[in-house]
């Protein structure tokens, strides 16, 4: 009998390694697509993005056999695929409402969703202008130029809905499929962003060439993509001019959408540590100085932009005066911003608080975008500095351009440190507005009868007959010395006999903003408005890198224009992204 048992044990022990080997092999086969889904989906995204960029490049240089119809057809196809995926995800999420979906509290902040909604509304206005423009020139325009704005309108509405209700999701099912769907959405928005940049850059370049022709330069050709027929409506000129004033907003919309979708893609399958998240509240309190100074800068920016666009290109003298005015304005604003950011950094360093080392895709992306997009401005600034050093002649505005370029580099460096220092700090645990220490002594002498069932002490309720006692904020100090004595006192006509109590109230910093917090909030508000102000000029045609002519003489016309066209979109995006980050800094301060 024992021999049979031994043989059974041996057979079982021989089968266990085989079973474990099969199980391990099955798990490897089962988990293999999940482990490689991120790599596979990212390669898919890069391929569709590069194909789209080549189509844009071929259209821009008028390559043989490539027309705008081919480019728009490609973009329409990508948008349709993304819409099908978003509809599938939305319907699947609604069918699984009862299941618990984990959320990333750092992703898709409400103010960010409100911002992207505002840009989306202006994008819809742009699409309506394009539809009106197509109707006016429908006799000689391709049908794709009418289908594209209609498809883009539906795509915008659906995508904003998707981001409002699903930007915080942490996807734990169908992970491989969702990775491909999300990365497709990310690169579709990046291609739409690139298409907007290309169209706007061509328009800005044509305006720059027209100003050069006005100043007497020759051998300059202007590349116009104008229809070959007459408009059937009297408002075509309004549509064609209005489109280019709205492009900066649709460009910001698509880059913000791509960043939010990227965070959602990075969160797929992520395990989040559940902790209490301090809610960020916006309160317009204690920021009078920063707001007033910021509004002054914003008003001055609009005035400088209007004067610049009126004066530039009218004559050589007026162009130089316009350039001098812009450089003096920018030097003043950048100096104030550097000073403010340095003060904020000093305050943060004096507090000596630890940084948050948690792996949050949203926070990491914010930091990467700040540094990455700043490289665009740094490239242009270093090009201007090199051109000033190497130039044989130095006009008057050159000596304003040099400190301006240096300040652009320094200001972005300091501001990035200030923003990253704040958004990566550990959040403080929420505390009560007031810390109240109470000491009650229960006694049978020198009595004070409390006939009422509740007793309010400094807005904190105390219930006697219902066996509830005054709680003590942030402490576990007992109230009664003996619960038996407490019960006897409560049974005595529902009253309790207490000696006069000693109460000491300590007002904490949360009741009123202390001086440091007020300074930080004013700095954040001022920098927020300054970044909005510095976003406006390049977004609406004020680009001295085109107009001063010094860099074009040193580097050549075509090379320098290429550098500016590649770097300027990142510089414009940096200002808007910095503004959104500074809004978060203000709410946390």
């Amino acid at each position: 009998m024992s021999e049979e048992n031994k043989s059974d044990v041996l057979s079982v022990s021989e089968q266990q390694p085989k079973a474990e080997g099969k199980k391990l092999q099955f798990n490897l086969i089962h988990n293999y697509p999940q482990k490689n889904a991120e790599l596979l989906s990212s390669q898919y995204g890069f391929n569709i993005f590069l194909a789209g960029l080549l189509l844009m490049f071929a259209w821009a240089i008028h390559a043989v056999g490539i027309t705008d119809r081919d480019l728009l057809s490609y973009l329409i196809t990508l948008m349709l695929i993304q819409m099908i995926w978003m509809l599938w995800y939305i319907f699947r999420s609604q069918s699984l409402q009862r299941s618990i979906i984990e959320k990333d509290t750092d992703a898709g902040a409400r103010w960010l969703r409100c911002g992207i909604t505002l840009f989306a509304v202006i994008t819809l206005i742009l699409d309506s202008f394009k539809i009106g423009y197509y109707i006016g020139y429908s006799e000689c325009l391709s049908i794709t130029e009418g289908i594209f704005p209609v498809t883009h309108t539906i795509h915008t509405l659906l995508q904003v809905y998707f981001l409002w209700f699903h930007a915080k999701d942490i996807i734990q099912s169908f992970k491989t499929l969702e990775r491909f769907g999300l990365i497709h959405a990310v690169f579709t928005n990046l291609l739409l962003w690139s298409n907007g940049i290309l169209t706007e850059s061509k328009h800005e370049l044509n305006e720059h060439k027209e100003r050069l022709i006005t100043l007497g330069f020759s051998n300059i050709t202007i590349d116009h993509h104008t229809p070959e027929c007459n408009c059937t409506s009297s408002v075509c000129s309004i549509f064609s001019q209005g489109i280019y004033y709205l492009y900066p907003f649709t460009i910001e919309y698509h880059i913000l959408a791509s960043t939010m979708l990227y965070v959602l893609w990075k969160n797929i399958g992520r395990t989040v540590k559940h902790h209490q998240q301090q809610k960020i509240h916006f309160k317009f309190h204690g920021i009078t100085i920063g707001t007033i100074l910021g509004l002054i800068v914003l008003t001055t920016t609009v005035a400088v932009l209007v004067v610049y666009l009126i004066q530039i290109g009218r004559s050589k003298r007026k162009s130089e005066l316009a350039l001098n005015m812009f450089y003096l304005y920018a030097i003043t604003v950048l100096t104030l911003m550097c000073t403010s950011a340095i003060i904020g950094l000093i305050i943060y360093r004096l507090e000596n608080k630890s940084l948050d080392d948690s792996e949050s895709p949203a926070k990491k992306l914010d930091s990467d975008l700040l540094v990455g997009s700043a490289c665009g401005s740094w490239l242009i600034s270093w090009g201007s500095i090199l051109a000033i050093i190497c130039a044989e002649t130095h006009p008057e505005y050159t000596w304003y351009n040099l400190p301006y370029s240096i300040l652009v580099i320094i200001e972005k460096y300091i501001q990035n440190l200030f923003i990253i220092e704040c958004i990566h700090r550990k959040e403080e645990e929420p505390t009560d507005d007031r810390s109240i220490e109470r000491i009650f002594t229960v006694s049978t002498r020198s009595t004070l009868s409390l006939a009422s069932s509740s007793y309010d002490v400094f807005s904190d309720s105390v219930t006697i007959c219902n066996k509830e006692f005054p709680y003590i904020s942030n402490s576990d100090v007992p109230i009664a010395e003996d619960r038996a004595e407490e019960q006897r006192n409560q049974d005595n006509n529902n009253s309790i006999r207490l000696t006069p109590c000693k109460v000491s109230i300590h007002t904490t910093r949360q009741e009123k903003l202390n001086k440091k917090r007020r300074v930080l909030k004013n700095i954040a508000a001022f920098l927020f408005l300054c970044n909005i102000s510095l976003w406006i000029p390049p977004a609406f045609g004020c680009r001295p890198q085109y107009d001063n002519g010094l860099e074009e003489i040193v580097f050549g016309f075509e090379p320098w224009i290429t550098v500016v066209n590649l770097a300027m979109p990142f510089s414009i995006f940096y200002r808007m992204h910095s503004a959104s980050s500074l809004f978060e800094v203000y709410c946390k301060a």
Side-chain angles (χ1 to χ4, degrees):
M1 192 71 180
S2 60
E3 293 179 357
E4 293 179 359
N5 291 336
K6 289 180 181 179
S7 61
D8 292 338
V9 171
L10 289 173
S11 62
V12 171
S13 61
E14 291 175 356
Q15 292 175 1
Q16 282 181 349
K18 295 181 179 179
E20 291 177 359
K22 290 181 179 179
K23 184 177 180 181
L24 179 61
Q25 184 180 4
F26 176 76
N27 288 335
L28 288 174
I29 296 173
H30 181 264
N31 294 328
Y32 181 79
Q34 300 298 331
K35 293 179 180 179
N36 292 275
E38 185 172 345
L39 178 61
L40 294 173
S41 60
S42 61
Q43 291 182 92
Y44 161 76
F46 278 117
N47 275 281
I48 63 173
F49 182 65
L50 292 174
L53 286 181
L54 284 175
L55 274 174
M56 291 180 193
F57 178 73
W59 171 74
I61 64 174
H62 304 285
V64 178
I66 302 295
T67 62
D68 57 346
R69 178 173 52 191
D70 302 316
L71 174 60
L72 294 179
S73 298
Y74 184 73
L75 294 175
I76 290 170
T77 303
L78 293 180
M79 286 191 289
L80 289 174
I81 295 173
Q82 182 187 346
M83 285 191 287
I84 293 172
W85 172 79
M86 286 191 296
L87 287 172
W88 179 84
Y89 182 87
I90 291 170
F91 289 143
R92 189 177 67 85
S93 298
Q94 290 179 350
S95 64
L96 300 175
Q97 285 181 352
R98 295 182 180 180
S99 62
I100 299 175
I101 300 177
E102 292 186 354
K103 301 289 185 179
D104 181 5
T105 55
D106 293 324
R110 182 179 294 274
W111 57 267
L112 185 60
R113 287 176 287 167
C114 290
I116 201 172
T117 302
L118 176 62
F119 288 132
V121 170
I122 302 176
T123 300
L124 294 176
I125 298 174
L126 173 64
D127 288 332
S128 65
F129 277 26
K130 288 183 177 180
I131 294 171
Y133 184 81
Y134 170 76
I135 293 173
Y137 290 103
S138 57
E139 295 180 358
C140 54
L141 291 179
S142 170
I143 187 68
T144 54
E145 296 197 31
I147 297 175
F148 178 79
V150 174
T151 308
H152 191 259
T153 299
I154 302 172
H155 176 269
T156 301
L157 292 172
L158 184 59
Q159 183 167 256
V160 170
Y161 174 85
F162 176 82
L163 291 174
W164 257 102
F165 295 100
H166 301 285
K168 293 178 175 290
D169 291 359
I170 297 179
I171 301 171
Q172 300 292 353
S173 60
F174 297 95
K175 288 184 280 189
T176 301
L177 177 62
E178 307 297 12
R179 284 189 190 277
F180 277 89
L182 277 169
I183 207 66
H184 178 93
V186 169
F187 283 102
T188 297
N189 279 275
L190 286 177
L191 278 175
L192 293 170
W193 172 69
S194 303
N195 183 56
I197 287 173
L198 177 62
T199 305
E200 188 195 25
S201 297
K202 289 179 71 68
H203 174 72
E204 293 292 337
L205 182 58
N206 287 335
E207 287 191 344
H208 174 57
K209 289 179 177 179
E210 289 174 357
R211 290 195 289 265
L212 292 177
I213 292 173
T214 304
L215 293 175
F217 291 90
S218 58
N219 298 326
I220 295 177
T221 57
I222 299 177
D223 183 16
H224 283 299
H225 290 274
T226 55
E228 298 178 355
C229 59
N230 295 324
C231 180
T232 58
S233 176
S234 59
V235 293
C236 285
S237 60
I238 298 176
F239 288 149
S240 61
Q241 293 296 324
I243 284 172
Y244 295 104
Y245 287 103
L246 298 178
Y247 259 115
F249 300 99
T250 190
I251 289 171
E252 295 299 330
Y253 160 72
H254 282 298
I255 193 65
L256 283 177
S258 63
T259 56
M260 294 177 70
L261 290 165
Y262 174 79
V263 172
L264 188 58
W265 177 73
K266 289 293 290 184
N267 275 331
I268 294 178
R270 178 172 168 239
T271 302
V272 179
K273 295 180 181 179
H274 296 281
H275 61 278
Q276 187 175 1
Q277 178 81 7
Q278 184 178 2
K279 292 184 178 180
I280 297 177
H281 299 285
F282 173 75
K283 293 182 180 179
F284 190 82
H285 175 67
I287 57 170
T288 306
I289 297 176
T291 303
I292 292 175
L293 291 177
L295 290 175
I296 291 173
V297 172
L298 183 61
T299 306
T300 307
T301 301
V302 175
V304 168
L305 175 64
V306 173
V307 174
Y308 183 92
L309 294 178
I310 293 174
Q311 296 295 324
I312 200 72
R314 295 300 179 93
S315 65
K316 185 177 180 181
R317 180 59 182 166
K318 289 183 178 180
S319 296
E320 289 182 353
L321 290 174
L323 288 169
N324 290 337
M325 175 195 64
F326 173 82
Y327 286 133
L328 286 172
Y329 147 80
I331 289 170
T332 304
V333 174
L334 290 171
T335 303
L336 292 174
M337 292 176 70
C338 287
T339 306
S340 302
I342 289 173
I343 295 172
L345 273 175
I346 293 173
I347 293 174
Y348 274 132
R349 294 296 170 87
L350 290 176
E351 290 183 349
N352 195 22
K353 291 184 179 179
S354 59
L355 297 179
D356 185 6
D357 56 355
S358 61
E359 296 181 0
S360 172
K363 290 182 179 180
K364 185 178 184 302
L365 181 63
D366 283 340
S367 302
D368 293 342
L369 287 176
L370 281 172
V371 178
S373 58
C375 292
S377 296
W378 290 339
L379 177 62
I380 295 175
S381 296
W382 282 114
S384 298
I385 293 171
L386 185 60
I388 293 169
I389 295 173
C390 298
E392 296 179 356
T393 60
H394 296 86
E396 181 183 355
Y397 59 80
T398 301
W399 307 115
Y400 298 114
N401 188 7
L402 179 61
Y404 164 75
S405 300
I406 295 173
L407 279 171
V408 166
I409 297 172
I410 297 174
E411 185 272 331
K412 283 184 170 60
Y413 188 88
I414 298 173
Q415 183 174 264
N416 287 346
L417 288 176
F418 173 71
I419 294 174
I420 295 173
E421 182 90 8
C422 177
I423 63 178
H424 283 278
R425 280 178 170 257
K426 287 186 177 180
E427 297 178 358
E428 296 180 354
E429 293 295 331
T431 58
D432 294 337
D433 288 342
R434 288 186 298 180
S435 176
I436 301 178
E437 178 184 352
R438 302 185 188 89
I439 304 174
F440 288 88
T441 306
V442 179
S443 178
T444 57
R445 51 188 175 81
S446 301
T447 60
L448 174 66
S449 178
L450 301 177
S452 58
S453 61
S454 64
Y455 177 58
D456 293 334
V457 181
F458 302 103
S459 301
D460 292 327
S461 62
V462 181
T463 305
I464 303 300
C465 62
N466 292 333
K467 299 181 181 180
E468 292 181 11
F469 289 87
Y471 64 89
I472 300 171
S473 176
N474 297 327
S475 66
D476 295 322
V477 180
I479 299 171
E481 294 180 352
D482 187 20
R483 297 190 61 87
E485 183 180 357
E486 168 196 335
Q487 184 65 36
R488 288 195 300 270
N489 289 331
Q490 287 184 353
D491 293 338
N492 187 12
N493 295 326
N494 291 329
S495 64
I496 186 168
R497 301 177 184 274
L498 302 173
T499 58
C501 59
K502 299 178 182 179
V503 180
S504 61
I505 302 174
H506 303 281
T507 304
T508 64
R509 292 182 302 176
Q510 314 305 336
E511 183 67 19
K512 285 186 177 181
L513 290 172
N514 57 27
K515 291 182 179 179
K516 288 183 180 180
R517 293 303 173 191
R518 283 182 183 273
V519 172
L520 285 173
K521 281 185 173 291
N522 278 278
I523 289 173
F526 174 71
L527 291 177
F528 169 79
L529 291 171
C530 284
N531 277 274
I532 294 293
S533 301
L534 294 179
W535 173 80
I536 293 174
F540 292 94
C542 179
R543 300 182 180 182
Q545 298 85 359
Y546 278 148
D547 300 316
N548 60 34
L550 188 65
E551 294 88 348
E552 295 175 1
I553 294 173
V554 175
F555 296 104
F557 182 81
E558 292 294 338
W560 178 248
I561 292 301
T562 302
V563 170
V564 173
N565 285 337
L566 290 175
M568 187 60 69
F570 295 98
S571 178
I572 295 173
F573 169 71
Y574 172 84
R575 290 300 173 190
M576 186 56 65
H577 182 62
S578 296
S580 63
S581 298
L582 285 164
F583 184 83
E584 183 179 355
V585 170
Y586 169 80
C587 294
K588 284 186 174 182

